[in-house]
Amino acid sequence: MEVAPRDGLQADPADLSAGQKVEFIERLVAAGHTRIEAASFVSPKAVPKMADGEAVMAAAPRMAGVSYSALALNQRGVERAVDAGVDEVCGVVVATETFSQANQRASVAESVQRWRSISETAVAAGLKTAVTVSAVCGCPYEGRVAIETVLDIVGQLAETQPDELVLADTIGVGVPPQVVALFEGAGERAPGIALRGHFHNTRNTALANIAAAIGAGVRVFDSSLGGVGGCPFAPQATGNVATEDVVYLAHEMGYDTGLDLDALIATTAWLETQLGHGVPSLVAKAGGFPDPR
Ligand code: COA
Ligand code: ZN
């Protein structure tokens, strides 16, 4: 799941127009992406960079096999997402109370309730659903988060039978044994529900965590082209793991991603010109496996 157009751009200093975001999405699709988090239907006062979700969705290229996801955190958001024609709706429940209040002005229990109604509306409209548990490896306000706290929320969300449950290391503090324990526990609490990983590379542990999660059987990951991104409500939250870096790892491990690494690297170069600044991806700088021929 390519999340740069949403998680990547929501806190970037650059102000991309809807037209630039659409061109970005077109380039991502051309590089082989089939699932893209394209927009966020939250309060434009809370996240001004995502205020143009309707315009982006109206002009994004539609084709068989390409699915657009959007974030919705309340009833108004899911209704906007349905009207805008998204294919998948993703909600968020933060694992800790302080961060939950900072991010969506609701307690954890209220967020679970909000997700129930978001999910009902999305399912009734025929859309796929995913829900993210955020700050699963640690919280910018409360510090360490007990695995049991996360798994309890996973169990409550599993009752809504989402198509996917996402575990997010929002502030990039996690390490492999913790990630494995979280995903193994989530698999037990949410039997039959696909799990997805969302890692930020704030402390350079994201790829290690992804490799560990692959070992634990996880096959879907969020990543952001170039490694752009961050959460406006989490101090010091830096970029998502870079798509190119994950794709390099996956291909060299023998997994097929359907993505064209060279096209991704070229798109990162284009993105840097649009943002007006460099991005953290290493593979974008080094290139793929050297081919001396
Ligand atoms: N779309 C557009 N506007 C919305 C909206 C939505 N989905 N939800 C709320 N609003 C507007 C309301 O119209 C209201 O505007 P007003 O002040 O002009 O009347 C304002 O936002 C506050 O609405 P309210 O229902 O009281 O929401 P809230 O203050 O309890 O905030 C959220 C809850 C979730 C809407 C808000 O905190 C939010 O959007 N947060 C964004 C979190 C985020 O995207 N984090 C990063 C990714 S996880
Ligand atoms: Zn994120």
CSV table of all heavy atoms in Angstrom, one decimal, residues 6-7 10 168 170 198 200 240, ligand 2:
chain,number,residue,atom,x,y,z
A,6,ARG,N,-0.9,10.4,1.0
A,6,ARG,CA,-1.7,10.8,2.3
A,6,ARG,C,-0.7,10.9,3.4
A,6,ARG,O,-0.3,12.0,3.8
A,6,ARG,CB,-2.8,9.8,2.6
A,6,ARG,CG,-3.9,10.4,3.5
A,6,ARG,CD,-3.5,10.4,5.0
A,6,ARG,NE,-3.3,9.1,5.5
A,6,ARG,CZ,-2.9,8.9,6.8
A,6,ARG,NH1,-2.6,9.9,7.6
A,6,ARG,NH2,-2.7,7.7,7.2
A,7,ASP,N,-0.3,9.8,4.0
A,7,ASP,CA,0.6,9.8,5.2
A,7,ASP,C,1.9,10.6,4.8
A,7,ASP,O,2.4,11.3,5.7
A,7,ASP,CB,0.9,8.4,5.7
A,7,ASP,CG,1.2,8.4,7.2
A,7,ASP,OD1,0.8,9.3,7.9
A,7,ASP,OD2,1.9,7.4,7.6
A,10,GLN,N,0.9,14.7,4.3
A,10,GLN,CA,0.0,15.4,5.2
A,10,GLN,C,0.8,16.4,6.1
A,10,GLN,O,0.2,17.4,6.6
A,10,GLN,CB,-0.9,14.5,6.1
A,10,GLN,CG,-0.1,13.7,7.1
A,10,GLN,CD,-0.9,12.7,8.0
A,10,GLN,OE1,-2.1,12.7,7.8
A,10,GLN,NE2,-0.3,12.1,8.9
A,168,ALA,N,0.5,-0.1,13.5
A,168,ALA,CA,1.3,1.0,13.1
A,168,ALA,C,2.3,1.4,14.2
A,168,ALA,O,1.9,1.8,15.3
A,168,ALA,CB,0.5,2.2,12.6
A,170,THR,N,3.8,4.3,14.7
A,170,THR,CA,3.6,5.7,14.2
A,170,THR,C,4.9,6.5,14.4
A,170,THR,O,5.2,7.4,13.6
A,170,THR,CB,2.4,6.3,14.9
A,170,THR,OG1,1.4,5.4,14.8
A,170,THR,CG2,2.0,7.6,14.3
A,198,HIS,N,2.7,-1.1,9.3
A,198,HIS,CA,2.9,0.3,9.0
A,198,HIS,C,4.0,0.8,9.8
A,198,HIS,O,3.9,1.0,11.1
A,198,HIS,CB,1.6,1.1,9.2
A,198,HIS,CG,1.7,2.6,8.9
A,198,HIS,ND1,1.1,3.2,7.9
A,198,HIS,CD2,2.3,3.6,9.6
A,198,HIS,CE1,1.3,4.5,7.9
A,198,HIS,NE2,2.0,4.8,8.9
A,200,HIS,N,7.3,3.5,10.6
A,200,HIS,CA,8.1,4.7,10.3
A,200,HIS,C,9.5,4.4,10.7
A,200,HIS,O,9.8,3.6,11.5
A,200,HIS,CB,7.5,5.9,11.2
A,200,HIS,CG,6.2,6.4,10.6
A,200,HIS,ND1,6.1,7.6,10.0
A,200,HIS,CD2,5.0,5.9,10.6
A,200,HIS,CE1,4.9,7.8,9.6
A,200,HIS,NE2,4.2,6.8,9.9
A,240,ASN,N,7.8,7.8,6.8
A,240,ASN,CA,7.5,6.4,6.7
A,240,ASN,C,8.7,5.7,6.1
A,240,ASN,O,9.5,6.3,5.4
A,240,ASN,CB,6.3,6.2,5.7
A,240,ASN,CG,5.0,6.8,6.2
A,240,ASN,OD1,4.8,8.0,6.2
A,240,ASN,ND2,4.1,5.9,6.6
B,2,ZN,ZN,2.1,6.8,9.5
